[in-house]
Amino acid sequence: MDKRKRIFHFALEGNALKAIELTEQLAKDILENNKDLQFDLLSLHFVELVCSRKCTEALEFAQTKLGPFGKEPKYMEKLEDFMALLAYKEPEKSPMFHLLSLEYRQQVADSLNRAILAHLNLPSYTAMERLIQQATVVRQCLSQEAGKDGPPFSLKDFLKS
């Protein structure tokens, strides 16, 4: 569990190469069997190079590590978006700024975490996460129903009554 947490945090912080290294130590075949995840992690590293203004290094990395993915049509559009970041002096102001966001890193880190959990035959969501998801949906439904006839649903008020 500690190693999985470390992997998650490395991916979330943008240290994709360290996340890849630890993932391969934990289970070598995860990334070999999940090319989408491998591409996403390598892309995170590319983005970090671009953000660090290491454009030459980013280009070389793209050619050697991301280039082979260009043979598959499903990666071409993503590759073009990532490569377009190099064209901007300030990539965070480019139309592809979402690729630099914490939300994108979060998405990749979550995918990696779920892949590791699945590999270890563990549920991809904890019981608490599932409970929160279910409670959120129930609350939304109750709020919509209550909103038709009166004030929005409040669990606190409901428990008091």
Side-chain angles (χ1 to χ4, degrees):
M1 185 166 144
D2 288 335
K3 195 170 217 174
R4 185 176 53 83
K5 281 184 183 179
R6 287 180 49 220
I7 292 169
F8 178 82
H9 286 290
F10 279 126
L12 192 59
E13 293 166 0
N15 191 345
L17 294 183
K18 189 68 175 173
I20 290 169
E21 177 188 329
L22 292 175
T23 300
E24 288 177 345
Q25 288 174 11
L26 185 64
K28 184 126 178 98
D29 58 338
I30 286 179
L31 297 177
E32 290 173 12
N33 295 332
N34 191 337
K35 292 296 181 190
D36 292 342
L37 183 56
Q38 184 180 25
F39 176 82
D40 288 342
L41 284 166
L42 292 171
S43 298
L44 279 184
H45 181 66
F46 175 81
V47 165
E48 289 306 309
L49 292 172
V50 171
C51 288
S52 301
R53 309 292 191 256
K54 298 177 180 175
C55 295
T56 304
E57 193 176 332
L59 190 55
E60 289 171 3
F61 180 82
Q63 289 173 333
T64 58
K65 299 294 185 178
L66 295 174
F69 288 93
K71 296 173 184 165
E72 295 183 47
K74 72 178 185 175
Y75 296 112
M76 275 308 295
E77 188 175 335
K78 284 183 174 183
L79 274 172
E80 289 169 359
D81 288 347
F82 283 108
M83 295 308 293
L85 291 171
L86 290 171
Y88 293 89
K89 202 171 207 173
E90 297 179 33
E92 55 279 349
K93 293 182 180 177
S94 75
M96 284 66 65
F97 70 93
H98 66 280
L99 298 172
L100 311 174
S101 70
L102 177 61
E103 290 81 17
Y104 180 72
R105 287 196 313 263
Q106 177 79 47
Q107 177 188 344
V108 174
D110 286 340
S111 295
L112 177 57
N113 190 47
R114 283 192 301 276
I116 291 170
L117 288 169
H119 180 79
L120 299 173
N121 293 321
L122 296 170
S124 59
Y125 294 99
T126 65
M128 182 60 78
E129 287 173 314
R130 212 172 282 292
L131 180 63
I132 290 170
Q133 289 170 344
Q134 292 170 348
T136 301
V137 170
V138 168
R139 182 170 183 249
Q140 288 171 343
C141 291
L142 289 172
S143 292
Q144 287 173 348
E145 286 300 314
K148 293 177 184 173
D149 301 327
F153 175 78
S154 166
L155 181 60
K156 185 177 178 182
D157 294 341
F158 177 77
L159 293 174
K160 284 182 182 177
S161 61

